[in-house]
Amino acid sequence: MAGLATPRPAEPPAAAQCGGFDIAVAFSGGLDSTALLHATARTASGLRVLALHVNHGLQAQSDAWEQHCREQAAVLGVGLASRRLSGRPGPGESVEAWARAGRHAALQAMTVQAGADLLLLAHHRRDQAETWLLQSMRGAGLAGLAAMPSAQWRDGVCWARPWLQQSRQTIEAYAHEHGLRWIEDPSNADARFARNALRQHWAAFEGAEVGLVQSAQWAQQALQLASEVAEADLRQVATADALDLTAWAHLSPARASNALRAWLSQQLRQVPATLVQRLLTEAKPDAALRWPAPDGWLEAYRGMLRWVPEAEPVEGEDRTIDLSRPGRYPQRDWGGAWCVTAASAGGVPAQCLRASRQHRRRGGEQFQRGPRTVARALKKAYQSAALPASQRQGPLLSWGEQLVYAPGLGLDARVVAMPGEPRCLIEWQADPDLLQGEGRDEPVE
């Protein structure tokens, strides 16, 4: 069993850091990680080993478990670094997902800080089989069914799982043979968590464990093949920032779906399955549509599909401003400018712009889009127009209590209908250069 510890990769990426420790081992104090740390310490001759413990702070015994890990690391003659997670899962957030995300981030940070480029994790064959089953029950695609890779690089650190082919019985026998002491986490018996519930009935799957792991390996190969095909297809149907919908439409349905998901994964932090399905149905070469996406939206225009990131909101000062004469009025703190032109018909009476007030949204504003419509909440008007948040940026313009202009929506129909001469057309134009101190605050006529 001692020979199962994984050696350091011979050729790490250029970004891998050196110095400090050579190997880091994720160490919860449970059976599996205790056995892995022991085996690594025994076989890593001449290499510096560091145990990494993440204190989730979710159990009353969390601090006692951390102390246990310190003592065991000292017994094995290896160093130990620990990090306690801050905060708690938000309303409706999965405790498992919160803990996993926090744990992964902490392990990565501690490994990099220690100067190591190899992080060992103690997942074994049953863990892999459980992951495959859970992912299949969630309707996962190839990426989910591929379960856990035996090794993968993440920002200069190789996350390796040397025991994915080892049974839990073998690991347990090793721990007993060497008289190891480990922690039993009572939360592992909590059937509210899907993996725990599955483990309570694992006897029904025991005989299929090897086959389930084999299925995960086939899925890993299929995932690699799909990645290679997508890479070749994207060279033909995508540019640096866009997907050519005409060229993409000539791919077979399976390759089109594969290429789309690969392209989206390059643009978005996550790719919702519902978004993929909508795009497969609606993204045609002649489409001029938008779809909400994480941190922005996707836009099809003139045969190209692009991801448009959502701009950071910019809010300047509320103040009175005279916009009654044609010209361009830069507003550096708002990152844009008012553009006013004379109008022979339509537009807004200049009297409404002489002592108008630009201001941020406070809530409760009413906006009327057309002469035959009713005024409604500005928020509802934006939602009805399906405008992304980035197109709502900029100040509102009011005259007294009357809303005159809303970015993205234009002039309120009530001020257009007001009598008065002369009249002006007004538009808010975003100008990011103004945020860098360029431009002038006085009107340019």
Side-chain angles (χ1 to χ4, degrees):
M1 189 72 182
L4 295 176
T6 298
R8 278 177 89 222
E11 298 181 0
Q17 299 190 27
C18 301
F21 290 87
D22 300 289
I23 302 175
V25 181
F27 184 37
S28 68
L31 165 65
D32 306 328
S33 65
T34 298
L36 179 62
L37 183 62
H38 181 272
T40 304
R42 290 184 66 205
T43 59
S45 177
L47 297 178
R48 293 155 296 179
V49 178
L50 177 68
L52 303 180
H53 179 76
V54 179
N55 186 335
H56 296 86
L58 295 173
Q59 303 282 347
Q61 309 97 312
S62 294
D63 292 339
W65 292 343
E66 181 176 339
Q67 181 59 32
H68 166 88
C69 289
R70 291 191 180 280
E71 294 170 356
Q72 292 302 304
V75 169
L76 294 174
V78 301
L80 183 134
S82 65
R83 183 165 296 189
R84 186 184 182 94
L85 299 187
S86 59
R88 285 289 188 275
E93 185 179 6
S94 163
V95 175
E96 291 174 292
W98 175 86
R100 181 170 55 251
R103 180 168 62 252
H104 286 183
L107 289 173
Q108 176 76 16
M110 287 191 289
T111 303
V112 171
Q113 186 175 10
D117 55 26
L118 177 61
L119 172 63
L120 301 183
L121 301 104
H123 298 114
H124 48 71
R125 191 173 70 193
R126 183 185 297 181
D127 293 325
Q128 184 76 319
E130 291 169 355
T131 299
W132 190 95
L133 272 174
L134 290 169
Q135 292 287 3
S136 65
M137 288 189 289
R138 293 167 183 152
L142 278 179
L145 295 177
M148 296 178 287
S150 58
Q152 64 184 148
W153 286 95
R154 296 182 181 177
D155 298 326
V157 175
C158 180
W159 290 51
R161 299 175 176 87
W163 286 356
L164 280 184
Q165 295 297 325
Q166 294 298 317
S167 69
R168 191 176 192 279
Q169 292 88 340
T170 302
I171 297 171
E172 189 170 0
Y174 176 88
H176 285 301
E177 177 186 351
H178 293 279
L180 304 182
R181 295 175 51 237
W182 62 87
I183 295 165
E184 293 289 354
D185 186 347
S187 69
N188 290 335
D190 191 342
R192 291 177 300 173
F193 303 125
R195 191 177 290 270
N196 292 346
L198 181 60
R199 286 173 177 170
Q200 292 180 11
H201 302 281
W202 191 250
F205 302 97
E206 195 81 46
E209 189 173 290
V210 174
L212 293 172
V213 171
Q214 180 63 66
S215 292
Q217 292 174 337
W218 288 125
Q220 289 171 4
Q221 290 187 23
L223 182 63
Q224 179 61 34
L225 177 60
S227 177
E228 293 173 6
V229 171
E231 184 178 348
D233 284 341
L234 288 179
R235 284 198 292 267
Q236 305 300 318
V237 304
T239 64
D241 66 344
L243 184 69
D244 185 329
L245 293 176
T246 301
W248 174 70
H250 285 89
L251 296 175
S252 69
R255 288 177 69 162
S257 175
N258 185 52
L260 176 64
R261 284 181 279 112
W263 182 79
L264 288 173
S265 68
Q266 296 172 2
Q267 315 298 318
L268 310 178
R269 57 181 171 81
Q270 61 181 18
V271 182
T274 53
L275 176 60
V276 174
Q277 292 301 319
R278 285 195 63 186
L279 291 170
L280 288 171
T281 303
E282 302 170 8
K284 307 299 182 184
D286 58 349
L289 298 170
R290 285 181 175 173
W291 299 267
D295 301 323
W297 69 92
L298 290 161
E299 182 176 65
Y301 182 66
R302 293 187 176 180
M304 305 298 284
L305 180 68
R306 290 182 171 84
W307 175 65
V308 182
E310 198 161 72
E312 290 292 327
V314 177
E315 288 193 349
E317 294 181 1
D318 295 2
R319 59 176 171 266
T320 300
I321 185 171
D322 183 355
L323 301 175
S324 59
R325 294 179 298 163
R328 185 173 183 271
Y329 298 77
Q331 308 297 311
R332 183 178 293 122
D333 57 340
W334 282 96
W338 293 109
C339 295
V340 182
T341 56
S344 57
V348 56
Q351 67 189 38
C352 297
L353 302 177
R354 189 163 291 113
S356 52
R357 182 170 47 88
Q358 65 177 14
H359 59 93
R360 59 178 61 87
R361 290 173 63 181
R362 298 185 299 271
E365 293 91 356
Q366 296 281 315
F367 184 83
Q368 184 173 325
R369 294 207 65 182
R372 295 182 178 85
T373 63
V374 297
R376 60 191 311 194
L378 180 60
K379 179 179 179 181
K380 294 291 185 182
Y382 275 128
Q383 291 174 343
S384 178
L387 285 174
S390 59
Q391 293 191 24
R392 308 177 191 182
Q393 300 305 316
L396 299 179
L397 192 67
S398 295
W399 181 51
E401 297 301 316
Q402 172 63 56
L403 186 62
V404 173
Y405 183 93
L409 295 176
L411 291 170
D412 189 292
R414 291 169 293 184
V415 297
V416 175
M418 291 175 60
E421 294 291 344
R423 307 184 74 84
C424 298
L425 293 175
I426 185 168
E427 181 184 8
W428 172 259
Q429 294 181 349
D431 186 353
D433 286 343
L434 291 173
L435 293 174
Q436 305 302 320
E438 300 181 16
R440 295 179 293 170
D441 284 339
E442 68 272 15
V444 181
E445 300 185 36

